[in-house]
Amino acid sequence: MITAEAFRQLTLSLQGTQTTLIAVSKLKPASDIEALYHLGQRDFGENYVQELVEKQAQLPADIRWHFIGHLQSNKVKYLAPFVHLIHGVDSFRLLSEISKQGEKCGRQIPCLLQLHIASEETKFGMDEKEMIELLEHYEAQRAQLGHVRIDGLMGMASFTADEEQIAAEFRNLRAMFELARQSYFLGQEHFRVLSMGMSGDYKIAIAEGSTHVRIGSLLFGQRR
Ligand SMILES: *Cc1c(COP(=O)(O)O)cnc(C)c1O
């Protein structure tokens, strides 16, 4: 069950902020997505490849599907024909594979680099040094990577009640975004996405410059 009231409030609070709402529908039935679709929502986020492929096949074609989970290289081919944005790229190998599969589909696939900003060890993503290494690599081989496009960065803050810490982590991501933009993407308008903020911390993320918030439980209720 979706919470229509939560959706209305969220949409209202995002008005005027230039922030895109991605409704994270992982582990929720297609009927929930449809309900939100009928309220006007078009951007949806999923974490699991098979689940996303199944939902995409049965839901309206104008939904913009964001893949926000950890993506294995051997599964890129299933998403390549339709995915709107891949949020979690954290290796050059994955970036190359996305370009290869994009070429097969005759399209350029937009993606984000995932940075590790939380204090917890378990979350995926690169540190600043790894991001720069990847971007150096990318710069050197850009001619062969014409079917992938890097549109920005994504990150997840620590799971903590300490709002100062969360704000500092988002600020750090924003700083890395600026660094990447200035050093590698100056004048390239597509490099403009800063995907940060979830149900528990999206207000802080917006205050720190988020362009895309990924919100699940606030809209769809707790997951099993
Ligand atoms: C599940 C998930 C979300 C949504 O989390 P909520 O706390 O339910 O809003 C956002 N981003 C990523 C990467 C996720 O895996």
Side-chain angles (χ1 to χ4, degrees), residues 22-26 45-48 67-70 87 114 154-156 159 195 197-201 213-223:
I22 299 168
V24 176
S25 45
K26 63 179 173 216
E46 291 280 341
N47 287 54
Y48 308 103
F67 189 79
I68 64 170
H70 183 69
H87 289 233
Q114 185 171 353
M154 178 267 217
M156 277 186 277
F159 187 71
S195 169
M198 315 191 353
S199 290
D201 57 21
V213 290
R214 309 175 309 268
I215 298 192
S217 44
L218 204 58
L219 291 168
F220 297 105
Q222 289 303 318
R223 288 176 293 270

Side-chain angles (χ1 to χ4, degrees), residues 84-89 94-95 98 108-114 148-153 190-191 193:
H84 179 69
L85 182 62
I86 296 175
H87 289 233
V89 174
L94 181 56
L95 193 73
I98 293 171
Q108 191 180 43
I109 302 176
C111 70
L112 306 178
L113 303 180
Q114 185 171 353
V148 65
R149 192 179 77 194
I150 302 176
D151 279 4
L153 306 185
H190 62 83
F191 192 87
V193 178

Side-chain angles (χ1 to χ4, degrees), residues 2-25:
I2 64 146
T3 343
E5 190 46 35
F7 177 66
R8 283 198 191 90
Q9 283 179 14
L10 197 53
T11 311
L12 266 179
S13 76
L14 294 182
Q15 252 173 31
T17 64
Q18 311 258 317
T19 313
T20 300
L21 168 63
I22 299 168
V24 176
S25 45

Side-chain angles (χ1 to χ4, degrees), residues 83-136:
V83 72
H84 179 69
L85 182 62
I86 296 175
H87 289 233
V89 174
D90 63 359
S91 73
F92 186 76
R93 187 178 123 90
L94 181 56
L95 193 73
S96 317
E97 179 62 17
I98 293 171
S99 186
K100 187 175 143 198
Q101 297 300 332
E103 184 168 12
K104 283 189 185 167
C105 300
R107 61 183 295 237
Q108 191 180 43
I109 302 176
C111 70
L112 306 178
L113 303 180
Q114 185 171 353
L115 274 289
H116 182 274
I117 53 170
S119 56
E120 292 120 12
E121 290 280 338
T122 52
K123 291 185 179 158
F124 295 106
M126 299 176 280
D127 60 23
E128 183 176 314
K129 182 167 163 283
E130 290 165 332
M131 176 189 80
I132 289 169
E133 275 169 19
L134 184 149
L135 287 171
E136 285 294 324

Side-chain angles (χ1 to χ4, degrees), residues 40-79:
Q41 179 65 19
R42 289 296 178 270
D43 291 272
F44 289 89
E46 291 280 341
N47 287 54
Y48 308 103
V49 172
Q50 195 186 335
E51 184 182 347
L52 172 52
V53 168
E54 284 168 12
K55 285 173 171 170
Q56 192 269 338
Q58 66 188 108
L59 285 159
D62 63 339
I63 288 181
R64 294 182 286 269
W65 293 104
H66 296 252
F67 189 79
I68 64 170
H70 183 69
L71 184 55
Q72 288 167 287
S73 294
N74 61 355
K75 296 200 171 158
V76 176
K77 57 178 178 282
Y78 303 113
L79 305 182

Side-chain angles (χ1 to χ4, degrees), residues 157-199:
S158 298
F159 187 71
T160 170
D162 184 345
E163 300 201 344
E164 258 316 305
Q165 183 184 342
I166 295 170
E169 291 173 357
F170 285 148
R171 222 169 287 141
N172 179 28
L173 185 59
R174 168 92 186 260
M176 290 191 280
F177 172 83
E178 288 303 333
L179 172 75
R181 199 175 65 79
Q182 308 252 345
S183 314
Y184 301 93
F185 299 98
L186 258 195
Q188 296 170 49
E189 294 293 317
H190 62 83
F191 192 87
R192 50 164 292 275
V193 178
L194 191 48
S195 169
M196 60 186 196
M198 315 191 353
S199 290

